Amino acid sequence: MLLTYRALKRASLAKKLRITTPNGIDESSYVRVGGIDQWISIRGEDLSNPVILEIHGGPGASNLIFIPRTRAWERHFTIVRWDMRGAGRTFAAGGPAGQGEMTLDRVYQDALEVTEYVRERLGVARLLLVANSFGTVTGLRLARNHPELYSAYVGTDQNIIGGGRDTSSYEALLARLEKAGKKKELAKTVAMGPDRTAWSAHEWADHAKIVTTTDPLTYDTMKTVVIRSLWFSPFHTLRGLRTYLKGMSFSEQLGPQAMAIDERAEGTSFRLPFFIFQGDSDVLTPPEPAHRFYEQVTAPVKDFALIRNASHFAAFRHPEQFLELMLSTVRPVVTGQAAGR
């Protein structure tokens, strides 16, 4: 019964995802990027709309599973979703041995290649850069260094990494675990220590798991948004689901590489419009460090907003709130038109 229901649900979602508008686009394929085949999906109802390039999180967590939840976004934007090396269908194509160099520098170069591919394919000068969660590490670097390629930067579930100095979220986790009487998780977290730059890939992943499973709102979001989206994804067979999860495990090696980054040292000056939309109750990437960073940012236009009743995965738990922010705040800036037009 469970598999029958899944099949019916997937078929229903696939029908809702069809794009039939005259100037729409729905294409996906492998593109040679960074020496390997990487999966790129391009969807939207009107090619005259701004083009979003998403930089997904995880690491290794393809955003393809969220297409049914974000279908309304495609009426206002053309959305490019790219499975990075180590993630989703890119991982499925080559397996662990076929992912090449798994470094943040390589991912950054891949992102630039994808940017050039999309600009040429769609004939647009600049893309709207939207990064979420772990993808914001690469997203900030792209936005700092290449304002000529991107019309604006939007970060959600924004990571602000302080070179290992900011231990506030670690201390908040300890307090939460102690209050909840989670002795096993508390002992494991204490053993890791507050210095994230010293964590192994396994410890980095363990920390994320402990945060996710011990915060009620985050855990509920994982079950009702992430796992549900994965299970009913029209784009993933049962084998595809297993490969998706294997890709995430494989990509954990990227996590510790980011922990020594100091975002302020890398720069708070951005020569493009800069936006952060953060879950108001996010414990994995809390809004407070993101807002402190935002306050130090200089940009032609900038804005910060909270997504209400949201933990991590804020844009996907409340896609309607995220879209409203995009339409009222971001789209007018990148199109030069007043909101509502």
Side-chain angles (χ1 to χ4, degrees), residues 32 97 137 190 197 243 255 264 267:
R32 199 71 176 173
V137 176
V190 168
T197 64
T243 304
R264 288 170 178 80

Side-chain angles (χ1 to χ4, degrees), residues 63-175:
N63 279 352
L64 290 181
I65 64 171
F66 297 120
I67 289 178
R69 297 188 66 85
T70 59
R71 178 66 179 88
W73 299 2
E74 297 168 353
R75 289 197 281 272
H76 309 278
F77 300 93
T78 296
I79 303 178
V80 179
R81 285 184 160 141
W82 154 51
D83 284 4
M84 298 178 188
R85 62 178 66 224
R89 293 199 169 187
T90 299
F91 179 77
Q99 301 307 302
E101 179 189 347
M102 287 295 293
T103 66
L104 287 177
D105 287 343
R106 182 62 259 178
V107 169
Y108 174 82
Q109 293 300 324
D110 287 351
L112 290 175
E113 288 190 37
V114 171
T115 297
E116 291 302 332
Y117 167 78
V118 174
R119 291 173 72 216
E120 182 176 348
R121 170 68 188 88
L122 299 183
V124 295
R126 293 182 179 179
L127 310 182
L128 171 52
L129 192 58
V130 176
N132 68 280
S133 194
F134 191 79
T136 62
V137 176
T138 297
L140 284 180
R141 288 178 162 176
L142 293 168
R144 281 190 195 96
N145 298 337
H146 292 284
E148 77 283 3
L149 299 178
Y150 307 107
S151 57
Y153 172 78
V154 179
T156 182
D157 301 338
Q158 178 70 54
N159 270 279
I160 299 299
I161 304 171
R165 293 190 304 275
D166 184 358
T167 61
S168 58
S169 62
Y170 174 83
E171 290 159 4
L173 175 60
L174 291 181

Side-chain angles (χ1 to χ4, degrees), residues 6 230-231 236-246:
R6 176 176 182 267
L230 186 59
W231 179 244
H236 296 82
T237 63
L238 289 176
R239 177 178 290 181
L241 300 186
R242 289 191 292 270
T243 304
Y244 184 104
L245 297 174
K246 287 178 181 177

